[in-house]
Amino acid sequence: MKHFISLCILFIGLSVSAQEIQWMSMNEALEAQQKEPKKIFMDVYTTWCGPCKLLDKNTFANEDVANYINKHFYAVKFNAEGKGEVHYKDFTYTNLKYKEGRKGRNSQHLFAHALKVSAYPTMVFFDENSEVISPVAGYHTPQQLELYLKMIVSDEYKKLTTAEAWQKYQKNFKGTFKN
């Protein structure tokens, strides 16, 4: 009986962990791309950002979102006001004015600045060669994010060169993610 209960707990634990996004650093994602090319999905957040916390709680915790991101992307969690180094395109980005222990806002990391991130949260998509595809600013529900995730994975974004094409794509998109 003890073995049965232990086995049940193990399976429950595995099913719960399978629903979580497998986050990594940007440096880890860039290294992984060298071995197996895959697009990168980056969540750019700050510790004080309320919508960033809601994105974690409501969107990234969604089973459909987590499974889709894990399957199709290297998922990067990036603190836009953090202090780590990012080695991208032969340059090392840092946060020169970072103040340890500071409450609330801190200075912006140079990598977030280079990506032209000016609002939080912002999700940034990179192609298989680490080139920026597009940032998407703001909080999005699982269903709203699904549109972007599938557009990027399918390379449909390459065809959406006008506002009319984008509106048509949005109108015709049939999502499958559940709450």
Side-chain angles (χ1 to χ4, degrees):
M1 184 67 169
K2 287 182 183 179
H3 293 293
F4 177 73
I5 293 171
S6 297
L7 200 56
C8 288
I9 291 171
L10 176 67
F11 282 124
I12 290 169
L14 289 175
S15 67
V16 170
S17 67
Q19 297 170 12
E20 293 178 2
I21 294 176
Q22 303 303 307
W23 297 109
M24 57 178 57
S25 72
M26 186 61 174
N27 294 329
E28 291 168 334
L30 293 169
E31 188 176 313
Q33 270 192 331
Q34 299 300 312
K35 297 173 187 162
E36 182 184 338
K38 200 174 181 181
K39 290 178 173 78
I40 295 174
F41 171 85
M42 175 187 275
D43 172 34
V44 183
Y45 73 97
T46 64
T47 58
W48 50 262
C49 167
C52 298
K53 293 173 185 171
L54 288 175
L55 196 61
D56 282 337
K57 180 181 175 189
N58 300 330
T59 303
F60 296 148
N62 177 281
E63 182 178 355
D64 292 324
V65 171
N67 289 337
Y68 196 83
I69 288 174
N70 287 338
K71 180 177 181 181
H72 297 285
F73 296 92
Y74 293 116
V76 172
K77 196 90 160 138
F78 181 71
N79 183 351
E81 295 180 354
K83 65 177 181 177
E85 291 184 347
V86 175
H87 308 287
Y88 178 75
K89 302 287 181 186
D90 298 323
F91 190 82
T92 299
Y93 294 90
T94 60
N95 189 343
L96 299 172
K97 296 180 182 178
Y98 177 82
K99 295 211 178 2
E100 189 73 46
R102 185 174 189 167
K103 302 275 188 225
R105 295 178 187 242
N106 214 314
S107 65
Q108 188 180 47
H109 198 285
L110 290 176
F111 189 56
H113 182 74
L115 296 173
K116 297 180 175 47
V117 172
S118 59
Y120 308 110
T122 294
M123 292 159 281
V124 182
F125 293 92
F126 297 80
D127 69 14
E128 294 86 351
N129 298 313
S130 310
E131 299 295 332
V132 175
I133 296 171
S134 180
V136 176
Y139 172 82
H140 291 76
T141 65
Q143 294 75 25
Q144 292 167 333
L145 183 57
E146 178 183 12
L147 174 96
Y148 293 98
L149 292 170
K150 292 185 175 175
M151 175 186 66
I152 298 296
V153 166
S154 68
D155 289 334
E156 281 293 311
Y157 70 93
K158 294 177 180 179
K159 301 174 190 171
L160 304 176
T161 58
T162 65
E164 294 80 24
W166 170 237
Q167 289 169 350
K168 183 178 177 183
Y169 179 80
Q170 286 179 300
K171 182 180 175 192
N172 294 327
F173 181 79
K174 303 289 185 231
T176 60
F177 288 6
K178 295 175 180 53
N179 281 336

